[in-house]
Amino acid sequence: EFIPGLELSRLFYEEAVKPVLDVEFPDLRYDAALIETGSEVLGFDTEMSRDHHWGPRVTLFVSADDQARVADAISETLRQRLPYTFRGYSTNFEPIPDEPHILRFAERTEGEVNHRVYVMLLREYMLDYLGFDLNDELTAADWLSFPQQKLRTLTSGAVYHSGLGEVDAMRERLNYYPRDVW
């Protein structure tokens, strides 16, 4: 049965990822969200969306200290502890031949899971995704250079856990064009 991607990722975080983090990394402060590209982030996904780059996934945004200290350990722990399927969908992904940046389900019943739980800094993510440093002031020129669909995914996606509050603060900051831009 089709489950919309935002809901599937919420359930995946709550039922599969969070329990592992709670046991293995109990003191970790992080935000968990789905705020990137994809039809599901905007609520436009359908059963057809499942052909590529769709499925149970979440991004964990951590502090710089925690990224250096535990990001690799989190990824490795999840590779070993996540189930092979979640709610009928594979949690293991592989690149599509000739399209190495596009991932699809890859059924697996043994070995490590090539999951889509990313551990990163929000500042680095925003530099890559939007070309903007969160430490800078927003100017009218910045607003006019941001692709509208990327702003929409950042503000319309989902936040599943707000332990740092950085994603919520970023979303509030980008929620609406300033008067000068209007």
Side-chain angles (χ1 to χ4, degrees), residues 59-131:
T59 301
L60 305 174
F61 295 100
V62 298
S63 69
D65 288 342
D66 283 337
Q67 183 192 37
R69 189 175 56 84
V70 296
D72 290 340
I74 291 170
S75 291
E76 181 60 31
T77 299
L78 292 173
R79 277 193 286 280
Q80 295 174 17
R81 302 261 320 264
L82 286 175
Y84 295 112
T85 61
F86 181 79
R87 302 273 177 131
Y89 297 100
S90 177
T91 60
N92 189 67
F93 295 85
E94 67 181 14
I96 294 176
D98 300 324
E99 296 184 59
H101 300 296
I102 305 296
L103 301 174
R104 66 177 175 197
F105 295 124
E107 299 298 325
R108 174 170 270 188
T109 57
E110 60 183 27
E112 293 184 342
V113 173
N114 186 29
H115 59 79
R116 293 192 62 206
V117 179
Y118 304 112
V119 182
M120 56 185 28
L121 299 176
L122 181 61
R123 182 175 179 221
E124 288 178 359
Y125 174 78
M126 293 295 290
L127 279 167
D128 181 60
Y129 189 67
L130 205 56

Side-chain angles (χ1 to χ4, degrees), residues 130-132 138 141-148 150-151 174 177:
L130 205 56
F132 178 72
L138 278 165
D142 291 325
W143 281 101
L144 294 171
S145 70
F146 296 153
Q148 292 176 1
K150 288 188 175 185
L151 286 173
L174 298 177
Y177 292 108

